Amino acid sequence: MILSVSRRTDIPCRFTPWFLNRLRAGYALVRNPLRPSQVSRVPLTPGAVECIVFWSKDPAPLLPHLGELEERGYPFYFQFTLTPYGRDLEPGLRDKGDIEAAFRALSRRVGRERVLWRYDPVVLTEGYPLSWHRATFEAMCARLAPYTASVTISFLDLYPRLRSLGLRAPEAGEVRELAAAFAASARRQGLDIRACAEPWDLTPYGIRPAACIDGALIARLTGREVTARPDRSQRPACGCLESVDIGAYDTCPNGCLYCYADHGRPPAPHDPEGELLTGALRPGDQVRDRVCRPALSGQTSLFSFGDH
């Protein structure tokens, strides 16, 4: 299986000790977000986990432990969201200069093809107008291009609770204007630019749809043929392959105002030694072993990172 760590919360930034403990134990318990009494026991052994996709806004706490992951035989790469917003939108994050330093350090450690930059989402406010995004994206492309091969963009999905916060998603004309500017900036720095789960057709600007759980990348990383199916549980425009996520909603202390994974519910207590990310098993919980389909075949793919 492909393991997602995690779309639902920032495990590398906030819960690295728990994650490492679960790898050493060989499993984690994960509540079904739609049916909380149903709990899956997800195997985390190297034989079960064929690739790990990390999602984070600041994975610095995980960096000292990458050697352990490699020694245990886990292939991995990072979806690293690095946006230029201040603490008015992202109150729980460190100084962005420090996070950029972590981005560079991670790239030097694992290689630029394993660190995928996300400028995600594009949020418009009085303080963050189109002109600001154009200039800021241009500058970030120049700084980060030596440390990544690609950038993934997305535009804010305006959930009802966000309207009262003064956040705004770009309108159609603004999307086209930003897409053209972003594509030109990325092209100047030699970055591949893609769009994550967007309903807009941005191919006229040279922006292809993204696949964040990316079969082509995983094949290059592992040297094996990828057989995983498209993930039908995601949004219709999502290009990802199937994965198993071990995170939980409403648990991330980063506190980003635009976050789709935060519904305003208080999190249960976190125990780094616990089987679950937060809370504990309750009376009536039904715990079942998660049956995970192989995502890779035994056949060697034509290309791998070793061929480059």
Side-chain angles (χ1 to χ4, degrees):
M1 69 171 169
I2 300 168
L3 189 70
S4 173
V5 185
S6 155
R7 282 185 173 100
R8 300 169 182 168
T9 192
D10 196 334
I11 288 176
C13 180
R14 298 294 186 168
F15 304 111
T16 280
W18 175 85
F19 174 69
L20 294 173
N21 285 334
R22 297 327 307 155
L23 287 188
R24 294 160 187 159
Y27 73 96
L29 298 186
V30 182
R31 287 194 183 278
N32 184 324
L34 300 179
R35 299 177 179 85
S37 64
Q38 296 181 5
V39 179
S40 294
R41 183 183 289 107
V42 177
L44 298 182
T45 61
V49 176
E50 294 159 298
C51 187
I52 302 174
V53 181
F54 290 109
W55 311 73
S56 185
K57 291 184 174 178
D58 184 6
L62 186 58
L63 265 61
H65 306 284
L66 296 180
E68 179 177 345
L69 299 183
E70 293 164 340
E71 289 169 7
R72 290 175 175 269
Y74 296 102
F76 57 86
Y77 67 92
F78 285 79
Q79 292 282 350
F80 195 134
T81 299
L82 181 50
T83 53
Y85 304 122
R87 288 195 171 93
D88 54 337
L89 293 188
E90 299 174 341
L93 293 180
R94 294 192 299 155
D95 177 82
K96 290 301 175 70
D98 294 335
I99 296 177
E100 281 200 26
F103 191 104
R104 296 191 296 270
L106 176 62
S107 177
R108 293 188 189 105
R109 174 64 177 77
V110 303
R112 65 196 292 268
E113 290 193 80
R114 299 191 192 202
V115 185
L116 284 65
W117 173 32
R118 303 180 69 86
Y119 190 95
D120 166 33
V122 174
V123 179
L124 296 179
T125 69
E126 288 187 5
Y128 303 117
L130 265 68
S131 59
W132 181 87
H133 277 286
R134 289 195 303 267
T136 304
F137 186 83
E138 171 85 21
M140 291 184 72
C141 282
R143 293 197 304 272
L144 297 180
Y147 304 99
T148 186
S150 67
V151 58
T152 299
I153 63 170
S154 77
F155 300 101
L156 178 68
D157 289 319
L158 197 59
Y159 302 104
R161 70 176 183 84
L162 301 182
R163 299 180 190 277
S164 63
L165 301 177
L167 308 185
R168 186 171 72 80
E171 298 173 354
E174 295 170 324
V175 167
R176 290 191 290 269
E177 179 181 341
L178 287 174
F182 287 176
S185 294
R187 195 177 306 117
R188 280 191 286 272
Q189 300 298 332
L191 292 174
D192 180 36
I193 182 168
R194 302 187 184 188
C196 180
E198 286 297 327
W200 314 95
D201 179 11
L202 303 180
T203 55
Y205 309 100
I207 301 175
R208 294 180 292 151
C212 305
I213 307 290
D214 186 341
L217 176 59
I218 292 170
R220 294 199 304 271
L221 176 61
T222 62
R224 294 168 61 190
E225 184 177 310
V226 177
T227 58
R229 302 183 300 191
D231 192 340
R232 303 301 182 193
S233 68
Q234 302 298 325
R235 293 171 289 176
C238 180
C240 287
L241 298 179
E242 280 186 339
S243 62
V244 176
D245 200 296
I246 58 169
Y249 294 112
D250 293 301
T251 59
C252 185
N254 290 343
C256 301
L257 268 65
Y258 50 74
C259 183
Y260 66 85
D262 183 358
H263 306 98
R265 293 188 285 265
H270 168 68
D271 178 4
E273 304 292 333
E275 296 175 295
L276 289 152
L277 182 63
T278 59
L281 290 174
R282 302 186 293 250
D285 283 343
Q286 301 174 350
V287 181
R288 294 189 174 93
D289 290 331
R290 176 73 181 254
V291 178
C292 302
R293 284 188 293 270
L296 308 179
S297 76
Q299 182 173 345
T300 304
S301 70
L302 184 60
F303 300 106
S304 69
F305 281 160
D307 299 311
H308 292 180

